[in-house]
């Protein structure tokens, strides 16, 4: 356990030295990559919002179509009942 604790300062020193040795060109490249990633993430978020809006509109259209189909089915069933009733009345005469 003590030998592991003794290694901690060595690891920290190696990390600090490694981080300190990066030059400004590397830092600029990393910042540029980070900016590009942020820009892509923002574009992806905008596209996701647009897709969500289109999905909501499609959902509303589907609900309206379903309601129209139910109305048409109810009308068809009512017409079928009227025709059947008229046929039965004509057969009884």
């Amino acid at each position: 356990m003590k030998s592991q604790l003794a290694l901690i300062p060595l690891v920290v020193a190696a990390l600090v030295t490694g981080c300190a040795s990066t030059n400004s060109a590397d830092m600029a490249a990393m910042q540029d990559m980070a900016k590009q990633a942020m820009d892509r993430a923002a574009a992806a978020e905008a596209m996701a919002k647009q897709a969500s809006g289109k999905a909501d509109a499609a959902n509303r259209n589907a609900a309206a179509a379903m309601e129209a189909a139910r109305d048409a089915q109810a009308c068809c069933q009512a017409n079928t009942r009227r025709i059947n009733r008229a046929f039965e009345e004509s057969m009884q005469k």
Side-chain angles (χ1 to χ4, degrees):
M1 182 71 165
K2 288 184 182 183
S3 63
Q4 290 176 346
L5 291 176
L7 289 176
I8 292 175
L10 292 175
V11 171
V12 170
L15 289 174
V16 169
T17 304
C19 292
S21 68
T22 53
N23 60 28
S24 62
D26 290 342
M27 289 299 289
M30 285 187 244
Q31 287 174 339
D32 203 29
M33 286 173 44
K35 184 182 180 324
Q36 288 176 359
M38 290 296 292
D39 291 345
R40 287 181 181 164
E45 183 180 10
M47 288 191 319
K49 285 180 182 178
Q50 184 181 19
S52 179
K54 288 181 179 183
D56 289 342
N59 192 24
R60 287 189 298 274
N61 288 342
M66 182 63 101
E67 185 177 344
R70 285 184 183 134
D71 290 345
Q73 182 66 33
C75 179
C76 181
Q77 289 172 341
N79 286 339
T80 300
R81 286 190 296 270
R82 281 194 292 273
I83 291 170
N84 286 342
R85 192 170 38 247
F87 178 74
E88 288 173 6
E89 287 175 2
S90 70
M91 294 301 288
Q92 289 177 358
K93 292 183 182 181

